Amino acid sequence: PDSGKGEESTVMIYGGSFTGGDAAKTAITVDNTENAIGAATIYGGTFSSDPTPYLDEDFKMVQKPDGTYGVEELPAVAQIGTETYTSLEKAFAAAESGEIVTLLTDVDVPETILLDDGRTVTVDLNGNNIAFASKKHFEVHHGTLNLQGTGVAYEKEPYYGPVMMYGTNEQQENYSVVNIGENVTLRGWSGVFVDYLDAYSDYANGVVINVEGALQSVQDNTGAYGHAIYVQGMIKQTNDTYAPHIHLLPTARVTATEEGNGMYLAGYAVTTIEEGATVTGGAVGIEIRAGKLTMTGGTVEATCTPTQIDPNGNGSTTSGAALAVSQHTTALPLEVTISGGTIRGYTGLYENCVESSNNPELVKVKIQGGNFAATNGGVNAVYADEVQTIEISGGYFTSEVPQNY
């Protein structure tokens, strides 16, 4: 009850035995009427009826052999310093910028974990796994998310990805950053999904993805194949300083199952691949449709045969090529520079401007080095539909390169 003035009062129960005298043995009831605004929070005790509606969020109900109900504190699953938390969501929300959230066990995460206040938060998987519920994930709108230690973060029902990245429409660098440690695996329809800001903006300024670990794409819950790294095609701002930046560092492993793509770079982004990194897809290793890709080393591979292309304003156009260069319907500038590494597939590198809106004058492929191989019965280590888009000054090839390249 309250004082009669409409002021709420709360009963906090830490122990004791509560037995109801009605047929249902109702142990506790909280009435909210016009002049009685009440609440109850239970931290302990024994009850003749289920007290779950009144339990503190860090506690759970336990039914006893005699039919009564007890209360137990939930186990700690994460820790910051010496402070423990009963959920990763609570620990993440409580973390000050620069602090480390250490997992103590495998966790199921029923809600999206949002980073939008500019903090730098590190999650150390510490040998444990993070299982996100359907369409839930880490969502970075502003700040830096560091994923370190050993473990897997994955979607229980693949649909988007365990990490979603959003930037800003302001001219800012390093606005939304994710760093993926060497022994961390991200698994979902995509491992990392870069989306545009909102339905009214084609910006993703300040997004940065640094990959030292493993990104794995699997089929989603409808059976659709995905992309281990996905850049949404409506990201159209072309300022290289602020556009999304993707860095595959020497220990990066990017893979997609069967008909999926290792990387689908549909929107404008700036991507670099270093020696030691590997990208493997079923359909293609990488399909780039806008932006810039610089490859100084590493391996890009596709297993699908043969090479096929189809116009597609809402998805991949190519299969059977390790590296597909195919300008999007957005007709944005597209530049690929390769000075090292290995590219192998039924067709190693395949360039095509398959969309009616394409502008080949904005497509440039510069091969200065590297190894290009036609595998699985293919015959073209390098092929260009529009010869004016390609310029070869170095490299090694398993097939003869046309003179006009």
Side-chain angles (χ1 to χ4, degrees):
D2 63 23
S3 63
K5 298 178 181 180
E7 297 174 354
E8 183 176 349
S9 62
T10 300
V11 176
M12 292 179 287
I13 300 173
Y14 293 91
S17 181
F18 300 80
T19 303
D22 61 358
K25 296 184 178 180
T26 305
I28 180 170
T29 299
V30 176
D31 288 328
N32 285 293
T33 61
E34 183 177 354
N35 292 312
I37 305 171
T41 304
I42 296 174
Y43 302 90
T46 300
F47 303 84
S48 60
S49 62
D50 186 354
T52 297
Y54 308 106
L55 295 182
D56 178 82
E57 61 183 6
D58 286 336
F59 290 77
K60 66 179 180 178
M61 178 275 291
V62 178
Q63 190 165 14
K64 298 181 178 181
D66 63 0
T68 62
Y69 299 85
V71 178
E72 288 184 1
E73 188 171 6
L74 293 170
V77 302
Q79 184 171 339
I80 302 174
T82 59
E83 188 75 22
T84 59
Y85 299 85
T86 58
S87 74
L88 176 58
E89 306 95 285
K90 291 179 184 177
F92 195 93
E96 299 287 342
S97 187
E99 288 191 317
I100 299 174
V101 177
T102 301
L103 285 183
L104 304 176
T105 185
D106 293 347
V107 292
D108 287 321
V109 180
E111 301 295 336
T112 287
I113 296 177
L114 178 64
L115 178 60
D116 65 353
D117 55 8
R119 288 178 297 157
T120 295
V121 180
T122 298
V123 176
D124 187 340
L125 278 71
N126 190 35
N128 301 295
N129 301 322
I130 302 171
F132 284 102
S134 177
K135 300 181 184 179
K136 307 303 179 183
H137 38 255
F138 288 112
E139 189 165 304
V140 183
H141 278 264
H142 178 37
T144 297
L145 171 64
N146 299 316
L147 299 173
Q148 69 179 35
T150 299
V152 181
Y154 65 97
E155 298 179 288
K156 289 198 286 187
E157 297 180 19
Y159 192 80
Y160 290 121
V163 175
M164 297 283 293
M165 301 293 295
Y166 296 85
T168 177
N169 56 7
E170 303 293 333
Q171 292 189 344
Q172 294 193 42
E173 300 178 67
N174 301 307
Y175 188 81
S176 299
V177 180
V178 62
N179 297 306
I180 302 157
E182 180 176 356
N183 296 312
V184 173
T185 298
L186 302 181
R187 181 184 303 136
W189 182 83
S190 66
V192 178
F193 187 122
V194 184
D195 208 355
Y196 56 91
L197 188 57
D198 56 47
Y200 306 101
S201 173
D202 52 15
Y203 289 85
N205 286 354
V207 168
V208 178
I209 301 166
N210 296 311
V211 183
E212 293 182 280
L215 306 182
Q216 299 174 352
S217 173
V218 297
Q219 286 177 275
D220 71 10
N221 55 17
T222 70
Y225 292 95
H227 323 282
I229 298 177
Y230 176 80
V231 178
Q232 218 282 342
M234 295 308 295
I235 297 171
K236 296 188 288 187
Q237 298 303 309
T238 58
N239 186 313
D240 290 350
T241 300
Y242 306 112
H245 280 243
I246 301 168
H247 308 286
L248 299 192
L249 300 165
T251 56
R253 292 95 62 204
V254 178
T255 60
T257 57
E258 300 180 42
E259 298 175 28
N261 299 339
M263 301 174 70
Y264 181 56
L265 308 175
Y268 196 95
V270 178
T271 302
T272 59
I273 301 175
E274 296 186 14
E275 179 59 41
T278 60
V279 182
T280 304
V284 296
I286 300 173
E287 180 165 347
I288 180 169
R289 307 199 66 186
K292 293 184 176 179
L293 169 64
T294 301
M295 184 172 175
T296 59
T299 300
V300 178
E301 183 174 10
T303 57
C304 184
T305 63
T307 300
Q308 296 178 309
I309 60 169
D310 288 294
N312 191 347
N314 188 32
S316 183
T317 65
T318 308
S319 62
L323 174 55
V325 181
S326 178
Q327 191 181 52
H328 206 294
T329 54
T330 52
L332 297 177
L334 196 172
E335 183 176 313
V336 175
T337 303
I338 301 168
S339 59
T342 299
I343 297 174
R344 55 179 180 241
Y346 189 85
T347 302
L349 183 151
Y350 192 99
E351 180 280 328
N352 69 86
C353 286
V354 68
E355 309 290 353
S356 60
S357 60
N358 285 164
N359 181 359
E361 296 302 317
L362 297 178
V363 180
K364 304 296 178 186
V365 179
K366 302 176 183 178
I367 299 176
Q368 302 163 348
N371 297 280
F372 297 78
T375 61
N376 301 320
V379 296
N380 293 310
V382 175
Y383 179 85
D385 263 352
E386 290 75 29
V387 297
Q388 72 269 32
T389 64
I390 194 163
E391 176 185 301
I392 298 177
S393 59
Y396 298 89
F397 309 87
T398 61
S399 62
E400 185 176 354
V401 175
Q403 290 297 314
N404 56 354
Y405 286 7

